[in-house]
Amino acid sequence: MSTDNRNIALSIVVAAVFIAGAIMFAGSGSNANIAGAPPANNVSVVDGKQFITINAKGGYYPRVTVAKAGLPTVLKMNTRGTFDCSAALAIPSLGYRNMLPPSGEMLIDIPPQKSGTVMRGLCAMGMYSFTVNFN
Ligand SMILES: [Cu+2]
């Protein structure tokens, strides 16, 4: 290998380390799973019942969900080692307020919603939120 080739190889390695570092830095915030992953397909309809999955940990993901109006719906809140305040969930339009288990699943029944309804979920302090738009 000539000196030139070695220098090129070295600069590629340095660039790769910088890029990896930048990605890790960008992903280290509390919005890591929001910024990093593509929007999940978190809505499914089984036997006329709609299931919406929201992950709660350091915030709620996905932040925005588009769901169908007019269907009985189950909101499935998933936690995994969630010891931050996103475990303290409030859904004002339903009068819902509850602690989610630190790890597990909480199923919340939601009556069929009218088209155009925007349902908002919040942590107890109001710092994290998610919305479900029923269309
Ligand atoms: Cu909070």
Side-chain angles (χ1 to χ4, degrees), residues 18-93:
F18 262 96
I19 290 164
I23 290 168
M24 280 164 65
F25 183 75
S28 66
S30 61
N31 291 338
N33 50 0
I34 295 157
N41 185 10
N42 65 323
V43 181
S44 61
V45 177
V46 181
D47 294 332
K49 206 170 201 186
Q50 178 166 239
F51 293 84
I52 300 170
T53 303
I54 305 279
N55 295 315
K57 186 178 180 174
Y60 300 106
Y61 175 80
R63 296 278 302 275
V64 178
T65 297
V66 175
K68 284 197 175 77
L71 287 181
T73 296
V74 176
L75 190 60
K76 201 196 276 189
M77 300 299 301
N78 278 338
T79 46
R80 214 175 75 192
T82 304
F83 296 103
D84 57 85
C85 64
S86 51
L89 176 67
I91 305 172
S93 65

Side-chain angles (χ1 to χ4, degrees), residues 84-86 123-128:
D84 57 85
C85 64
S86 51
C123 73
M125 293 154 64
M127 62 202 279
Y128 301 127

